[in-house]
Amino acid sequence: MLERNKDNQPNQEKLEALLGKMVGDLGAITTGAAVLLGDRLGLFSAMSEGGKMTSGQLAKRTGTQERLVREWLSAQAAAGYVEYDEAGDSFYLSPEQEQVFVNEDSPAFMAGAFEVVSTLWLDEEKVRQAFRSGKGLGWHDHSACLFRGTERFFRPGYNANLIGSWLPALDGVVEKLERGIDVADVGCGHGASTVLMAKAFPNSRFTGFDYHAPSIERARAAAKEAGVAGNTSFEVAPAKDFPGTYDLVAFFDCLHDMGDPEGAAKHVHKALKPDGTWMIVEPFANDQLSANLNPVGRIYYAASTFICTPASLSQEVGLGLGAQAGEARLRKVVSGGGFKRFRRATETPFNMVLEARR
């Protein structure tokens, strides 16, 4: 254990640098709450429809109070999230800002991420209790905005990558999907990934499974809204006990949340047809902690502290892989399920796509 010299004083330059970093971090945290507020009030979307506008014009358009709207606009302008025209005392969104805060189909859309982050604050007391009890905290015990925010956060990445690069990176899978196969999307949540695949491959049949009944209800509604109810279905079932046999089983950003991921792997092995493929999409992570000490790792470790690891610990086995498990630990889980072939098919800065076969 390192001993601190009583006369040892902090390096003033390093202290000032740390405090400067804290100012930036506090600004991001406070602005994040304002982003969530603007998203829910429709302020961003109203700005995208009206060009340059004053706080009074935006308030009138959205049915909100002008003085509060002006303060919100000022905060967003200080953050660089909206633009300010001093000559006209007006505010507007740049094309780039529209992609980030308004266009939910954009791969750059980030408003959903702030909805997820809000649950870290809302559920801090529950997580604190989990730290002390060791019993974990299930996904369903979080605030409801976690489920909606997660869908909105992950959907842009799926829109940008799933059909164009992730599925093509799997050996022969796209050709099978085009001909028509049976697909299980396990841990489907609100069904964003299921619906996206069903639209792209109308000859194939997709079944989404999730243990959370309200999410399944929302997934069914999403499929109907998207016009793919004819080749999709959604059922409440856990990852270790979903029914049927499939040519492709997909796990999107959920394996690490499971208490018994190896048990889930064993069930997937049984559920796959002999030439079937298991597609596992997980948060990007290196195998060594030191290699994950970066901006992306910072986000994932924080989310894992509040959401992913407590969720795993709340279930049987409670392996607690965490959102930064890394390929080596995931390989061990998959191999423990009976799979002989395992590889990293492709990756993005936020995800790695793993392929497992018998």
Side-chain angles (χ1 to χ4, degrees):
M1 181 176 178
L2 293 175
E3 294 185 3
R4 183 181 176 89
N5 189 320
K6 292 183 180 180
D7 297 325
N8 186 24
Q9 296 298 314
N11 180 292
Q12 192 64 29
E13 187 174 325
K14 290 182 179 180
L15 178 59
E16 290 176 1
L18 178 58
L19 289 173
K21 182 178 183 302
M22 293 304 298
V23 169
D25 289 350
L26 286 171
I29 292 168
T30 53
T31 303
V35 167
L36 183 63
L37 178 68
D39 179 54
R40 290 179 172 173
L41 287 172
L43 299 177
F44 286 115
S45 59
M47 290 184 73
S48 73
E49 298 166 359
K52 292 184 180 181
M53 59 180 68
T54 65
S55 56
Q57 290 170 326
L58 181 58
K60 183 177 181 180
R61 182 181 288 267
T62 55
T64 51
Q65 210 273 347
E66 185 277 335
R67 183 64 189 89
L68 293 174
V69 169
R70 181 168 183 82
E71 212 70 1
W72 178 85
L73 283 166
S74 300
Q76 298 305 293
Y81 290 174
V82 307
E83 302 299 321
Y84 176 58
D85 177 16
E86 185 174 6
D89 193 26
S90 59
F91 302 83
Y92 63 97
L93 292 175
S94 69
E96 296 76 22
Q97 290 162 345
E98 286 193 16
Q99 294 301 303
V100 171
F101 297 114
V102 181
N103 183 4
E104 298 215 17
D105 292 326
S106 165
F109 182 72
M110 290 293 290
F114 292 92
E115 201 163 8
V116 173
V117 170
S118 71
T119 69
L120 309 190
W121 292 94
L122 289 170
D123 298 331
E124 181 273 334
E125 183 178 352
K126 294 179 182 178
V127 176
R128 187 175 358 125
Q129 292 172 357
F131 266 66
R132 289 175 173 150
S133 70
K135 295 179 181 180
L137 181 70
W139 264 76
H140 57 279
D141 292 319
H142 281 274
S143 300
C145 53
L146 174 61
F147 295 90
R148 181 172 180 269
T150 299
E151 177 198 0
R152 297 178 77 210
F153 175 55
F154 283 120
R155 192 193 319 129
Y158 298 159
N159 287 343
N161 299 294
L162 178 52
I163 306 304
S165 60
W166 291 353
L167 287 169
L170 305 176
D171 187 20
V173 167
V174 168
E175 292 82 357
K176 292 179 181 179
L177 286 165
E178 289 173 343
R179 289 196 304 268
I181 58 173
D182 295 304
V183 181
D185 186 357
V186 180
C188 67
H190 287 189
S193 51
T194 322
V195 168
L196 191 61
M197 291 188 291
K199 289 176 69 175
F201 302 103
N203 292 331
S204 290
R205 300 157 298 280
F206 299 85
T207 306
F209 297 104
D210 201 286
Y211 85 97
H212 187 243
S215 289
I216 288 297
E217 291 176 9
R218 172 58 195 142
R220 289 170 179 160
K224 186 175 181 180
E225 292 165 7
V228 295
N231 67 328
T232 60
S233 62
F234 294 92
E235 302 297 336
V236 176
K240 291 169 60 175
D241 195 34
F242 61 90
T245 55
Y246 303 91
D247 302 276
L248 172 65
V249 174
F251 279 42
F252 291 97
D253 291 292
C254 63
L255 182 64
H256 66 274
D257 292 308
M258 297 176 185
D260 184 12
E262 186 171 312
K266 290 177 181 177
H267 186 68
V268 173
H269 193 273
K270 294 177 182 177
L272 273 178
K273 296 178 182 179
D275 61 343
T277 300
W278 184 16
M279 176 187 188
I280 309 160
V281 178
E282 280 287 295
F284 182 88
N286 296 289
D287 292 324
Q288 300 300 319
L289 169 61
S290 57
N292 295 326
L293 303 182
N294 52 56
V296 173
R298 178 188 186 185
I299 294 169
Y300 281 147
Y301 277 125
S304 189
T305 300
F306 279 81
I307 303 170
C308 310
T309 306
S312 177
L313 296 180
S314 73
Q315 304 166 52
E316 60 179 347
V317 180
L319 186 61
L321 280 175
Q324 294 286 270
E327 184 177 335
R329 294 182 70 196
L330 293 169
R331 178 187 292 273
K332 184 177 179 181
V333 165
V334 172
S335 298
F339 288 88
K340 304 300 182 184
R341 290 181 283 172
F342 177 88
R343 71 182 181 97
R344 186 184 303 202
T346 188
E347 64 186 50
T348 72
F350 291 97
N351 287 102
M352 53 184 174
V353 179
L354 309 169
E355 178 182 21
R357 304 190 73 172
R358 292 173 177 274

